[in-house]
Amino acid sequence: MAIYKDSVNEMWQKYRTEHPMISNKFEAWAFGNSAQIANELGGLVMDGIKTGTSSLFYWYDQGGETMPSVGSHVVLLDGEEEAIGIIKLINVTIMPFNEVPETFAYLEGEGDRTLEYWRKVHTSFFTNECDELGIPFEEDALVVCEEFEVVYK
């Protein structure tokens, strides 16, 4: 079982008190790969702008991560790993990077919310991840696209 800061467990218990019928299973994580990005993207989520995220399928297929599933809950963390809210996954789709649609880029809520911006930023991010893994990033790499809603602030 993962060990989280007190704010994570406290927020989860408050949410469960209000929703006792839900499972006690949850994850806790922050967006991005730095405290600054975690704070920026976490803020977009809490403001209702960011309602989607994406990651390489590799992490689930080869990297040992658990595949996200509809209905699962995540306690969202800021850059200091403190709880800022709870999101619930409402859709999970796997598709090639080069087939991610404009509508999903908009849901990610970053930059000007265009597909062009999304591809530029995510090509860089996924290329860096692939470089660390020693694998090439390719335009048809599978991406896990998650849509979520904030269920607790």
Side-chain angles (χ1 to χ4, degrees):
M1 181 168 192
I3 298 174
Y4 301 114
K5 289 191 172 185
D6 289 344
S7 67
V8 172
N9 294 315
E10 288 169 9
M11 182 174 284
W12 181 250
Q13 290 311 316
K14 287 178 184 175
Y15 180 68
R16 289 264 348 268
T17 298
E18 294 178 18
H19 305 277
M21 300 304 288
I22 64 166
S23 165
N24 195 30
K25 185 178 175 190
F26 71 97
E27 294 182 61
W29 43 259
F31 286 106
N33 56 4
S34 71
Q36 178 183 349
I37 292 173
N39 288 332
E40 178 184 324
L41 298 182
L44 291 174
V45 170
M46 297 289 68
D47 290 342
I49 296 168
K50 181 175 180 62
T51 60
T53 192
S54 55
S55 53
L56 290 173
F57 179 69
Y58 176 90
W59 291 114
Y60 309 104
D61 184 47
Q62 303 289 324
E65 296 291 325
T66 301
M67 179 64 76
S69 60
V70 172
S72 61
H73 290 83
V74 175
V75 177
L76 190 57
L77 307 178
D78 66 12
E80 290 71 46
E81 298 186 354
E82 296 290 345
I84 59 173
I86 299 175
I87 59 175
K88 179 180 174 182
L89 297 183
I90 58 173
N91 192 29
V92 179
T93 308
I94 301 169
M95 66 186 79
F97 176 85
N98 58 6
E99 292 181 21
V100 171
E102 180 94 31
T103 52
F104 186 78
Y106 185 83
L107 295 178
E108 283 237 22
E110 300 171 30
D112 63 6
R113 302 178 86 171
T114 63
L115 184 58
E116 180 181 358
Y117 180 88
W118 184 90
R119 284 191 175 150
K120 177 184 167 195
V121 169
H122 286 80
T123 295
S124 175
F125 184 79
F126 291 152
T127 297
N128 288 339
E129 283 191 329
C130 287
D131 287 349
E132 290 176 17
L133 296 166
I135 60 175
F137 174 70
E138 298 176 0
E139 287 286 311
D140 62 352
L142 291 178
V143 176
V144 178
C145 298
E146 303 171 54
E147 295 175 47
F148 54 81
E149 61 186 0
V150 175
V151 294
Y152 192 83
K153 290 184 181 187

